[in-house]
Every structure is written in structure tokens, then in C-alpha cells.
Amino acid sequence: MIENSILQKESRYVWITWLLSWSGLIVMCSLYLTLPLNSLFSSEFDISVSRAALTSSLFSLCFACGCLVYGAIADKYGRKKVVLFGLICLAVFTCAAGWVHSFAWLLLLRGLQGLAASTFSPVVLAYIVSIFPQHRRVTAIGFVSTGFLMAGVVGQVAAGIISTQYNWHGLFLLFGSLYIVTAGLILIFLPNDSAQQPELNVYAYLKQIRAILIQKDLLLSYVVAFVLLSSFIVMYAILNHYLQQSLYSLNVESILEIKIAGIAGMLLSPFAGKIAQKTNARFTLLLGLTVSIFSLVMMALWTALAGVILFSILFVAGIAISVPALVAIVGQLGLQRRGIAVSLYTFILFAGTAFAPYWAMQILSFSSGSPAFICNAILLLPALVAVLLIRIPKL
């Protein structure tokens, strides 16, 4: 009987892990849905491509701002309640975006989508810590982080396929429906958390940011956060343009298949904890950044298609092990202010993605060939230097 009870509990944690991973994947897809649609929006709304890119940048900025406050709100009112409320709002705003025919309305709804989607990522990690037993937390966080990363490919691939086969309105309506279904699953299957703190003063919580910003090592970790995910977005923007050139002349379907191959690199994210256990989080982050920079340089030098595909996967693998390692470092450096330190990390991480479409356009205007990958590698160099300067106190 005891053994059966343990098995039931273990299988329940497995199911919750998969549900949270799916939720993380589908929610974070909303960030990437409009990245491949800039040319389409430019044509339909008769605007410049750079203005069309605001659909992604505004989402990222609103998402980043939401990440600053929802952690504290979730601590005050309950994490499951905040996640559920955010998913319902995200479903409504996403479905509404599928019916608009004005760029101004689309921009407004993308901003609201960002605010709604940001209820998930900063809250779910704290939820895992409060619900899961200690021996399952690292694995659960690794799987959820993998879902976050996979969204970068899945969101763009889904947008490319659906907008080509149907139209972009159908894309938003489909994802809005998926958010409704996901909200229902979370309502039914996710246990309520007991980490409510009704007495928590959200304003006082946010005032701790000042104390965080005077810590040199945390500031260095935020330099890494600012460029880490944005370089991921820039790489795929460059790759998409690069593979359409005369050297390869690949069609849309072939390019989508190459993007899907990048998922193989993301599967390393759950193993970042294993690497950190054998070494430390700082070494893991250095390893990930070095692999990503090296891969970008090789993508520029090795023009054979097989080489470009191989090193694009290795680039993604480097980012995949860097993200959880950086979260661990921020948590260690935050000490008693760990919660607000991680919230600020999430804000800066996604604030960086707001600039990614602009950086990609500037790099491609400078060079649409292999040197563009070198420019992206240079973008990551400050992160590598920052990690070398970080000093993590021994606990």
C-alpha cells in the first residue's frame, strides 16, 4: 500500500511537470509568433518592416514589465490564481488579435498579450519550488526551461506554416483556443499552492530593486541576461535570411525544417544542472557562452549547408545550458533578496528581446552574408567578459 501511494505521488509529479512544460511552451510561443510575419504585416498594413517589427518589440517590453510585478502579486494572492488569470486574459487578447484589421489595434493587443503572458514565467518557477519535493525540483525546472526555449523554434515554425497555408488571423485564433484549453487543464489538474502572503506589501517588495542594483556581481549577471536570449532571436533572423540567398536558395519549407532541427540542441537544458553539479554554475555558463560564440564563428566560416545546420544546433545547445545556469547564479547572488533578483533578471532578459528585431535588421543591413553571424558573436562577447568578472561567494 505504501509503495502504491509513493508511485501515485511520483506519477502525479510527472504529469504536473509535463503540464507545466506544455504551458511554458505554448505561453512563450506568443513572444515569437510575429517574428516571421514582419514582411506580411508590412505588405498588408502598408508600413515599413521596421515598424512591423514593433509587434514583437512591444510584446517583449510589456512582458518584461509584467515580470517585475507578478512575482510579488503571486506571493500575495497565490501562484495558481495568478497563472490561471493570466492564461484566461492571454486567450481573450490572442483571439481578439485574430479579428483585427488595423495595425494600431494589433499593436495594442500585442502589448496586452505581453502583460498577460508574463504572469507565467516568473511565477511558475516559484510554484515548482513550493509544490515539488526537493529531489524533483531541478528536473521539473529543467523541463519547464526546455519548454521556454523550444517556444523560440515552435512559435516561429507554427507562424510560418499557418500563415502560409491559411492567414495570420487563423494563427492567433488557433493559439487563443490552445490557451483556453491549457487554462482548463491547469484549473482541473494543478494543485493549489499555500504560499499566499496577504500581508505582503508589493510596493515595499519592488523597492528592494535599489539594493539589488548596487551589487556589482548581480549587475554583471544582468549584462549576460540582456544579450543572451536576444542573440538567440537574432541568430534565427540572420539564418532565415541567409538560407534564402543564391548560395542555398532554400524554400520556406526547407528553412522551417532546419529551424526544427534546433530543438535537438534545446534538449540539453535539463542537463545543465548535472553539469553544474560536477563543476559549478559559473563554469556551466562559461561553457554555454563559449560554445554559442564558437558556433556563430563557424557558421560564418563553414559555408557548407551541413556545417551551417550543425553549428546552428550547437549554438542553440550553448544557449540552452546557459539559461538555467544563469538563473542559478542570480539566485546565489540574490541571497535573501533572491525573489526580486530573479524577477529583475527576467525583466532584463526579455527587455533584451525587445531590441532583438532592431539589432537583426541593423546587422542584415550591414551584411546579409556570413559576416552577419560574426556580428552576432560580437554581441555575445560582453556576456562572456561579464561572466569572467563575476565572483560568487561560497555559502
Side-chain angles (χ1 to χ4, degrees):
M1 290 293 292
I2 295 175
E3 187 176 338
N4 287 336
S5 176
I6 293 172
L7 286 173
Q8 287 176 356
K9 285 183 178 179
E10 289 297 309
S11 62
R12 186 188 186 200
Y13 286 126
V14 170
W15 162 240
I16 294 172
T17 299
W18 281 109
L19 177 56
L20 292 176
S21 299
W22 159 258
S23 303
L25 168 66
I26 204 70
V27 168
M28 291 310 300
C29 276
S30 57
L31 168 63
Y32 301 96
L33 287 181
T34 57
L35 284 174
L37 304 181
N38 290 337
S39 298
L40 193 154
F41 289 152
S42 174
S43 174
E44 179 164 335
F45 295 114
D46 192 25
I47 56 176
S48 66
V49 174
S50 59
R51 191 178 175 201
L54 288 173
T55 54
S56 299
S57 297
L58 185 60
F59 180 102
S60 295
L61 283 174
C62 291
F63 187 101
C65 291
C67 287
L68 271 181
V69 298
Y70 285 129
I73 292 173
D75 285 345
K76 186 175 179 69
Y77 297 106
R79 296 176 183 117
K80 179 181 175 179
K81 290 178 183 177
V82 170
V83 168
L84 192 58
F85 174 76
L87 266 173
I88 294 170
C89 291
L90 182 59
V92 171
F93 298 143
T94 304
C95 287
W99 293 103
V100 300
H101 297 277
S102 159
F103 184 69
W105 275 107
L106 180 60
L107 266 186
L108 173 63
L109 287 167
R110 284 295 286 165
L112 292 173
Q113 276 184 292
L115 286 173
S118 62
T119 57
F120 190 85
S121 57
V123 175
V124 72
L125 299 180
Y127 176 85
I128 289 172
V129 171
S130 68
I131 291 294
F132 279 66
Q134 189 170 358
H135 71 280
R136 280 200 163 273
R137 288 174 192 167
V138 175
T139 302
I141 290 172
F143 273 99
V144 172
S145 297
T146 301
F148 290 164
L149 289 169
M150 286 178 64
V153 172
V154 174
Q156 293 187 65
V157 169
I161 293 174
I162 296 171
S163 63
T164 301
Q165 297 296 324
Y166 303 97
N167 55 55
W168 65 268
H169 298 278
L171 175 70
F172 284 111
L173 292 173
L174 171 63
F175 271 84
S177 302
L178 290 174
Y179 296 139
I180 293 171
V181 172
T182 304
L185 291 173
I186 284 179
L187 175 64
I188 296 168
F189 294 108
L190 217 61
N192 290 316
D193 61 293
S194 57
Q196 299 180 31
Q197 302 176 43
E199 75 286 350
L200 181 69
N201 187 318
V202 176
Y203 176 70
Y205 181 85
L206 293 176
K207 281 180 68 176
Q208 297 178 59
I209 291 176
R210 184 182 302 172
I212 292 292
L213 292 178
I214 62 173
Q215 296 185 43
K216 187 197 77 170
D217 292 314
L218 269 173
L219 286 177
L220 289 170
S221 69
Y222 293 150
V223 170
V224 183
F226 190 73
V227 298
L228 191 60
L229 199 54
S230 58
S231 70
F232 174 83
I233 295 173
V234 170
M235 190 281 285
Y236 272 110
I238 295 171
L239 185 65
N240 189 71
H241 195 275
Y242 184 58
L243 294 177
Q244 294 179 49
Q245 292 184 339
S246 56
L247 180 62
Y248 306 106
S249 299
L250 296 183
N251 56 30
V252 174
E253 289 76 15
S254 297
I255 294 174
L256 288 177
E257 290 171 1
I258 291 172
K259 287 182 177 180
I260 292 172
I263 292 175
M266 296 172 189
L267 297 178
L268 284 178
S269 186
F271 298 100
K274 300 284 186 183
I275 300 172
Q277 285 174 9
K278 292 184 180 296
T279 55
N280 55 63
R282 183 170 174 269
F283 175 84
T284 306
L285 181 54
L286 276 172
L287 176 64
L289 289 172
T290 302
V291 168
S292 292
I293 292 171
F294 173 75
S295 299
L296 287 170
V297 173
M298 291 306 298
M299 288 172 76
L301 298 178
W302 192 355
T303 56
L305 182 59
V308 172
I309 296 171
L310 171 64
F311 285 107
S312 71
I313 295 172
L314 285 176
F315 168 84
V316 172
I319 299 295
I321 65 173
S322 296
V323 170
L326 182 56
V327 173
I329 289 172
V330 172
Q332 284 180 265
L333 294 172
L335 298 175
Q336 291 87 355
R337 297 187 177 92
R338 185 179 291 110
I340 192 65
V342 173
S343 293
L344 191 55
Y345 152 81
T346 313
F347 167 77
I348 293 169
L349 183 75
F350 288 101
T353 66
F355 295 92
Y358 174 77
W359 286 335
M361 284 186 289
Q362 292 302 309
I363 290 173
L364 289 171
S365 67
F366 168 72
S367 173
S368 57
S370 55
F373 293 114
I374 298 292
C375 292
N376 197 19
I378 293 171
L379 183 65
L380 273 176
L381 282 178
L384 188 64
V385 174
V387 177
L388 291 171
L389 295 174
I390 290 175
R391 294 292 176 265
I392 303 174
K394 293 183 179 180
L395 300 178

Short mmCIF file of all heavy atoms in Angstrom, two decimals, residues 53-101:
data_model
loop_
_atom_site.label_atom_id
_atom_site.label_comp_id
_atom_site.label_asym_id
_atom_site.label_seq_id
_atom_site.Cartn_x
_atom_site.Cartn_y
_atom_site.Cartn_z
N ALA A 53 7.97 45.36 -37.06
CA ALA A 53 8.68 44.64 -36.01
C ALA A 53 8.26 45.09 -34.61
O ALA A 53 8.57 44.42 -33.62
CB ALA A 53 10.19 44.82 -36.18
N LEU A 54 7.55 46.22 -34.52
CA LEU A 54 7.06 46.69 -33.21
C LEU A 54 6.10 45.68 -32.58
O LEU A 54 5.93 45.67 -31.36
CB LEU A 54 6.36 48.04 -33.36
CG LEU A 54 7.26 49.25 -33.63
CD1 LEU A 54 6.42 50.49 -33.92
CD2 LEU A 54 8.19 49.50 -32.45
N THR A 55 5.46 44.83 -33.40
CA THR A 55 4.55 43.82 -32.85
C THR A 55 5.29 42.86 -31.92
O THR A 55 4.71 42.34 -30.97
CB THR A 55 3.87 43.02 -33.97
OG1 THR A 55 4.87 42.47 -34.84
CG2 THR A 55 2.92 43.90 -34.77
N SER A 56 6.57 42.63 -32.22
CA SER A 56 7.38 41.77 -31.35
C SER A 56 8.01 42.58 -30.21
O SER A 56 8.02 42.14 -29.05
CB SER A 56 8.49 41.08 -32.16
OG SER A 56 7.94 40.25 -33.16
N SER A 57 8.51 43.77 -30.54
CA SER A 57 9.21 44.59 -29.53
C SER A 57 8.27 45.04 -28.42
O SER A 57 8.63 45.01 -27.23
CB SER A 57 9.86 45.80 -30.20
OG SER A 57 10.84 45.39 -31.12
N LEU A 58 7.05 45.46 -28.79
CA LEU A 58 6.10 45.93 -27.77
C LEU A 58 5.67 44.79 -26.86
O LEU A 58 5.54 44.96 -25.64
CB LEU A 58 4.87 46.56 -28.44
CG LEU A 58 3.86 47.20 -27.50
CD1 LEU A 58 4.51 48.33 -26.71
CD2 LEU A 58 2.65 47.72 -28.26
N PHE A 59 5.47 43.61 -27.45
CA PHE A 59 5.15 42.43 -26.64
C PHE A 59 6.26 42.20 -25.62
O PHE A 59 5.98 41.99 -24.43
CB PHE A 59 4.99 41.20 -27.54
CG PHE A 59 4.66 39.93 -26.80
CD1 PHE A 59 3.37 39.45 -26.78
CD2 PHE A 59 5.63 39.22 -26.11
CE1 PHE A 59 3.04 38.27 -26.10
CE2 PHE A 59 5.34 38.06 -25.42
CZ PHE A 59 4.04 37.58 -25.41
N SER A 60 7.51 42.22 -26.08
CA SER A 60 8.65 41.94 -25.19
C SER A 60 8.75 42.96 -24.06
O SER A 60 9.01 42.60 -22.91
CB SER A 60 9.95 41.92 -25.99
OG SER A 60 9.96 40.85 -26.91
N LEU A 61 8.56 44.24 -24.38
CA LEU A 61 8.65 45.28 -23.36
C LEU A 61 7.56 45.13 -22.30
O LEU A 61 7.81 45.24 -21.10
CB LEU A 61 8.57 46.67 -24.01
CG LEU A 61 9.84 47.17 -24.70
CD1 LEU A 61 9.58 48.48 -25.42
CD2 LEU A 61 10.98 47.34 -23.69
N CYS A 62 6.33 44.87 -22.76
CA CYS A 62 5.22 44.68 -21.81
C CYS A 62 5.42 43.40 -21.00
O CYS A 62 5.12 43.37 -19.80
CB CYS A 62 3.89 44.63 -22.56
SG CYS A 62 3.41 46.22 -23.28
N PHE A 63 5.93 42.37 -21.64
CA PHE A 63 6.23 41.12 -20.95
C PHE A 63 7.27 41.37 -19.86
O PHE A 63 7.12 40.91 -18.72
CB PHE A 63 6.75 40.09 -21.96
CG PHE A 63 6.93 38.70 -21.40
CD1 PHE A 63 5.98 37.72 -21.64
CD2 PHE A 63 8.05 38.37 -20.66
CE1 PHE A 63 6.14 36.44 -21.13
CE2 PHE A 63 8.22 37.10 -20.14
CZ PHE A 63 7.25 36.13 -20.38
N ALA A 64 8.32 42.09 -20.21
CA ALA A 64 9.39 42.38 -19.25
C ALA A 64 8.86 43.16 -18.06
O ALA A 64 9.18 42.86 -16.91
CB ALA A 64 10.51 43.15 -19.95
N CYS A 65 8.03 44.17 -18.31
CA CYS A 65 7.48 44.98 -17.21
C CYS A 65 6.59 44.13 -16.31
O CYS A 65 6.62 44.27 -15.07
CB CYS A 65 6.69 46.15 -17.78
SG CYS A 65 7.72 47.39 -18.60
N GLY A 66 5.80 43.24 -16.90
CA GLY A 66 4.95 42.37 -16.11
C GLY A 66 5.74 41.45 -15.20
O GLY A 66 5.34 41.17 -14.07
N CYS A 67 6.89 40.99 -15.69
CA CYS A 67 7.74 40.09 -14.90
C CYS A 67 8.21 40.74 -13.60
O CYS A 67 8.48 40.04 -12.62
CB CYS A 67 8.96 39.65 -15.72
SG CYS A 67 8.56 38.45 -17.02
N LEU A 68 8.29 42.06 -13.58
CA LEU A 68 8.75 42.76 -12.37
C LEU A 68 7.73 42.69 -11.24
O LEU A 68 8.10 42.66 -10.06
CB LEU A 68 9.03 44.23 -12.69
CG LEU A 68 10.44 44.60 -13.16
CD1 LEU A 68 10.51 46.10 -13.40
CD2 LEU A 68 11.49 44.17 -12.16
N VAL A 69 6.45 42.67 -11.59
CA VAL A 69 5.42 42.82 -10.55
C VAL A 69 4.66 41.53 -10.24
O VAL A 69 4.17 41.36 -9.12
CB VAL A 69 4.41 43.93 -10.93
CG1 VAL A 69 5.11 45.26 -11.04
CG2 VAL A 69 3.70 43.60 -12.24
N TYR A 70 4.56 40.62 -11.21
CA TYR A 70 3.69 39.46 -10.99
C TYR A 70 4.24 38.49 -9.94
O TYR A 70 3.47 37.77 -9.31
CB TYR A 70 3.44 38.72 -12.30
CG TYR A 70 2.46 39.44 -13.21
CD1 TYR A 70 2.78 39.69 -14.53
CD2 TYR A 70 1.23 39.85 -12.73
CE1 TYR A 70 1.89 40.35 -15.37
CE2 TYR A 70 0.33 40.52 -13.55
CZ TYR A 70 0.66 40.76 -14.88
OH TYR A 70 -0.22 41.41 -15.68
N GLY A 71 5.57 38.46 -9.77
CA GLY A 71 6.13 37.60 -8.73
C GLY A 71 5.61 37.99 -7.36
O GLY A 71 5.19 37.14 -6.56
N ALA A 72 5.61 39.29 -7.08
CA ALA A 72 5.12 39.79 -5.79
C ALA A 72 3.61 39.61 -5.67
O ALA A 72 3.10 39.22 -4.60
CB ALA A 72 5.48 41.26 -5.64
N ILE A 73 2.89 39.86 -6.74
CA ILE A 73 1.42 39.70 -6.72
C ILE A 73 1.06 38.23 -6.47
O ILE A 73 0.13 37.92 -5.71
CB ILE A 73 0.81 40.20 -8.04
CG1 ILE A 73 0.96 41.73 -8.14
CG2 ILE A 73 -0.67 39.81 -8.15
CD1 ILE A 73 0.54 42.31 -9.47
N ALA A 74 1.82 37.32 -7.08
CA ALA A 74 1.57 35.89 -6.89
C ALA A 74 1.85 35.47 -5.45
O ALA A 74 1.14 34.65 -4.88
CB ALA A 74 2.42 35.07 -7.86
N ASP A 75 2.90 36.03 -4.86
CA ASP A 75 3.20 35.73 -3.45
C ASP A 75 2.07 36.20 -2.54
O ASP A 75 1.79 35.60 -1.51
CB ASP A 75 4.51 36.40 -3.03
CG ASP A 75 5.73 35.68 -3.60
OD1 ASP A 75 5.59 34.53 -4.06
OD2 ASP A 75 6.82 36.27 -3.58
N LYS A 76 1.43 37.28 -2.93
CA LYS A 76 0.37 37.88 -2.10
C LYS A 76 -0.96 37.13 -2.24
O LYS A 76 -1.65 36.87 -1.25
CB LYS A 76 0.18 39.35 -2.47
CG LYS A 76 -0.78 40.12 -1.57
CD LYS A 76 -0.80 41.59 -1.95
CE LYS A 76 -1.77 42.38 -1.09
NZ LYS A 76 -1.31 42.50 0.30
N TYR A 77 -1.31 36.77 -3.49
CA TYR A 77 -2.64 36.22 -3.74
C TYR A 77 -2.66 34.73 -4.09
O TYR A 77 -3.73 34.13 -4.15
CB TYR A 77 -3.33 37.01 -4.86
CG TYR A 77 -3.55 38.46 -4.50
CD1 TYR A 77 -2.78 39.46 -5.07
CD2 TYR A 77 -4.53 38.82 -3.57
CE1 TYR A 77 -2.97 40.79 -4.73
CE2 TYR A 77 -4.74 40.14 -3.24
CZ TYR A 77 -3.95 41.13 -3.83
OH TYR A 77 -4.15 42.44 -3.49
N GLY A 78 -1.51 34.13 -4.37
CA GLY A 78 -1.48 32.72 -4.74
C GLY A 78 -1.01 32.54 -6.17
O GLY A 78 -1.50 33.23 -7.08
N ARG A 79 -0.08 31.63 -6.39
CA ARG A 79 0.56 31.49 -7.71
C ARG A 79 -0.37 30.87 -8.75
O ARG A 79 -0.41 31.30 -9.90
CB ARG A 79 1.85 30.69 -7.56
CG ARG A 79 2.87 31.44 -6.68
CD ARG A 79 4.13 30.65 -6.43
NE ARG A 79 5.00 31.42 -5.54
CZ ARG A 79 5.36 31.03 -4.32
NH1 ARG A 79 4.97 29.86 -3.86
NH2 ARG A 79 6.13 31.79 -3.58
N LYS A 80 -1.10 29.83 -8.36
CA LYS A 80 -2.01 29.22 -9.32
C LYS A 80 -3.06 30.21 -9.80
O LYS A 80 -3.41 30.27 -10.98
CB LYS A 80 -2.68 27.99 -8.71
CG LYS A 80 -3.67 27.31 -9.67
CD LYS A 80 -4.34 26.10 -9.04
CE LYS A 80 -5.40 25.53 -9.98
NZ LYS A 80 -6.08 24.34 -9.42
N LYS A 81 -3.59 31.03 -8.89
CA LYS A 81 -4.60 32.02 -9.25
C LYS A 81 -4.07 33.01 -10.28
O LYS A 81 -4.75 33.36 -11.25
CB LYS A 81 -5.06 32.78 -8.00
CG LYS A 81 -5.89 31.96 -7.03
CD LYS A 81 -6.26 32.79 -5.81
CE LYS A 81 -7.03 31.96 -4.79
NZ LYS A 81 -7.33 32.75 -3.56
N VAL A 82 -2.82 33.48 -10.07
CA VAL A 82 -2.23 34.46 -10.99
C VAL A 82 -1.97 33.83 -12.36
O VAL A 82 -2.27 34.44 -13.39
CB VAL A 82 -0.92 35.02 -10.39
CG1 VAL A 82 -0.16 35.85 -11.42
CG2 VAL A 82 -1.22 35.87 -9.15
N VAL A 83 -1.43 32.61 -12.38
CA VAL A 83 -1.18 31.92 -13.65
C VAL A 83 -2.49 31.69 -14.41
O VAL A 83 -2.57 31.93 -15.62
CB VAL A 83 -0.46 30.57 -13.40
CG1 VAL A 83 -0.46 29.71 -14.67
CG2 VAL A 83 0.98 30.82 -12.94
N LEU A 84 -3.52 31.25 -13.72
CA LEU A 84 -4.82 30.98 -14.34
C LEU A 84 -5.44 32.26 -14.89
O LEU A 84 -5.95 32.29 -16.03
CB LEU A 84 -5.75 30.32 -13.33
CG LEU A 84 -7.03 29.70 -13.86
CD1 LEU A 84 -6.73 28.63 -14.89
CD2 LEU A 84 -7.85 29.11 -12.70
N PHE A 85 -5.39 33.33 -14.09
CA PHE A 85 -5.92 34.62 -14.54
C PHE A 85 -5.19 35.10 -15.80
O PHE A 85 -5.81 35.57 -16.76
CB PHE A 85 -5.79 35.65 -13.42
CG PHE A 85 -6.18 37.05 -13.81
CD1 PHE A 85 -7.51 37.41 -13.93
CD2 PHE A 85 -5.21 38.01 -14.08
CE1 PHE A 85 -7.88 38.70 -14.31
CE2 PHE A 85 -5.56 39.29 -14.46
CZ PHE A 85 -6.90 39.64 -14.57
N GLY A 86 -3.84 34.96 -15.79
CA GLY A 86 -3.05 35.40 -16.93
C GLY A 86 -3.37 34.61 -18.18
O GLY A 86 -3.46 35.18 -19.29
N LEU A 87 -3.56 33.30 -18.05
CA LEU A 87 -3.88 32.47 -19.23
C LEU A 87 -5.23 32.82 -19.82
O LEU A 87 -5.40 32.85 -21.05
CB LEU A 87 -3.85 30.99 -18.83
CG LEU A 87 -2.53 30.25 -19.06
CD1 LEU A 87 -2.61 28.85 -18.47
CD2 LEU A 87 -2.18 30.18 -20.54
N ILE A 88 -6.21 33.08 -18.97
CA ILE A 88 -7.53 33.47 -19.48
C ILE A 88 -7.45 34.80 -20.22
O ILE A 88 -8.01 34.95 -21.31
CB ILE A 88 -8.54 33.55 -18.30
CG1 ILE A 88 -8.78 32.16 -17.71
CG2 ILE A 88 -9.86 34.16 -18.77
CD1 ILE A 88 -9.56 32.16 -16.42
N CYS A 89 -6.73 35.77 -19.64
CA CYS A 89 -6.55 37.06 -20.32
C CYS A 89 -5.79 36.89 -21.63
O CYS A 89 -6.14 37.50 -22.65
CB CYS A 89 -5.80 38.03 -19.41
SG CYS A 89 -6.74 38.59 -17.98
N LEU A 90 -4.77 36.04 -21.62
CA LEU A 90 -3.99 35.80 -22.83
C LEU A 90 -4.86 35.19 -23.92
O LEU A 90 -4.75 35.55 -25.10
CB LEU A 90 -2.81 34.87 -22.52
CG LEU A 90 -1.85 34.54 -23.67
CD1 LEU A 90 -1.22 35.81 -24.25
CD2 LEU A 90 -0.76 33.58 -23.20
N ALA A 91 -5.75 34.27 -23.54
CA ALA A 91 -6.66 33.66 -24.51
C ALA A 91 -7.57 34.71 -25.13
O ALA A 91 -7.77 34.74 -26.36
CB ALA A 91 -7.49 32.57 -23.82
N VAL A 92 -8.11 35.60 -24.30
CA VAL A 92 -9.03 36.65 -24.80
C VAL A 92 -8.30 37.60 -25.74
O VAL A 92 -8.79 37.89 -26.85
CB VAL A 92 -9.64 37.43 -23.61
CG1 VAL A 92 -10.41 38.66 -24.11
CG2 VAL A 92 -10.54 36.52 -22.78
N PHE A 93 -7.12 38.09 -25.34
CA PHE A 93 -6.39 39.05 -26.17
C PHE A 93 -5.89 38.41 -27.47
O PHE A 93 -5.87 39.06 -28.52
CB PHE A 93 -5.21 39.62 -25.38
CG PHE A 93 -5.59 40.39 -24.15
CD1 PHE A 93 -4.82 40.33 -22.99
CD2 PHE A 93 -6.74 41.17 -24.14
CE1 PHE A 93 -5.17 41.03 -21.86
CE2 PHE A 93 -7.11 41.88 -23.01
CZ PHE A 93 -6.33 41.80 -21.86
N THR A 94 -5.50 37.13 -27.41
CA THR A 94 -4.99 36.45 -28.60
C THR A 94 -6.11 36.22 -29.61
O THR A 94 -5.93 36.45 -30.81
CB THR A 94 -4.33 35.11 -28.23
OG1 THR A 94 -3.30 35.36 -27.26
CG2 THR A 94 -3.70 34.45 -29.44
N CYS A 95 -7.26 35.76 -29.12
CA CYS A 95 -8.41 35.59 -30.02
C CYS A 95 -8.85 36.93 -30.63
O CYS A 95 -9.17 37.01 -31.82
CB CYS A 95 -9.58 34.95 -29.27
SG CYS A 95 -9.35 33.20 -28.88
N ALA A 96 -8.83 37.98 -29.81
CA ALA A 96 -9.20 39.31 -30.31
C ALA A 96 -8.26 39.77 -31.41
O ALA A 96 -8.68 40.37 -32.41
CB ALA A 96 -9.21 40.32 -29.16
N ALA A 97 -6.95 39.45 -31.26
CA ALA A 97 -5.97 39.85 -32.28
C ALA A 97 -6.26 39.17 -33.61
O ALA A 97 -5.90 39.69 -34.67
CB ALA A 97 -4.56 39.49 -31.80
N GLY A 98 -6.91 38.00 -33.57
CA GLY A 98 -7.25 37.30 -34.80
C GLY A 98 -8.36 37.94 -35.60
O GLY A 98 -8.59 37.57 -36.76
N TRP A 99 -9.06 38.90 -35.00
CA TRP A 99 -10.19 39.54 -35.69
C TRP A 99 -9.91 40.97 -36.13
O TRP A 99 -10.73 41.59 -36.82
CB TRP A 99 -11.42 39.54 -34.77
CG TRP A 99 -11.96 38.17 -34.51
CD1 TRP A 99 -11.80 37.41 -33.39
CD2 TRP A 99 -12.73 37.36 -35.41
NE1 TRP A 99 -12.42 36.20 -33.51
CE2 TRP A 99 -13.01 36.13 -34.75
CE3 TRP A 99 -13.22 37.55 -36.71
CZ2 TRP A 99 -13.74 35.11 -35.33
CZ3 TRP A 99 -13.95 36.53 -37.30
CH2 TRP A 99 -14.21 35.32 -36.62
N VAL A 100 -8.75 41.53 -35.75
CA VAL A 100 -8.50 42.94 -36.07
C VAL A 100 -7.97 43.11 -37.50
O VAL A 100 -7.36 42.20 -38.06
CB VAL A 100 -7.51 43.59 -35.08
CG1 VAL A 100 -8.05 43.52 -33.67
CG2 VAL A 100 -6.14 42.92 -35.15
N HIS A 101 -8.22 44.29 -38.05
CA HIS A 101 -7.73 44.62 -39.40
C HIS A 101 -7.03 45.97 -39.40
O HIS A 101 -6.89 46.61 -40.43
CB HIS A 101 -8.90 44.62 -40.40
CG HIS A 101 -9.54 43.27 -40.55
ND1 HIS A 101 -9.04 42.30 -41.39
CD2 HIS A 101 -10.63 42.73 -39.94
CE1 HIS A 101 -9.80 41.21 -41.31
NE2 HIS A 101 -10.76 41.44 -40.44
#
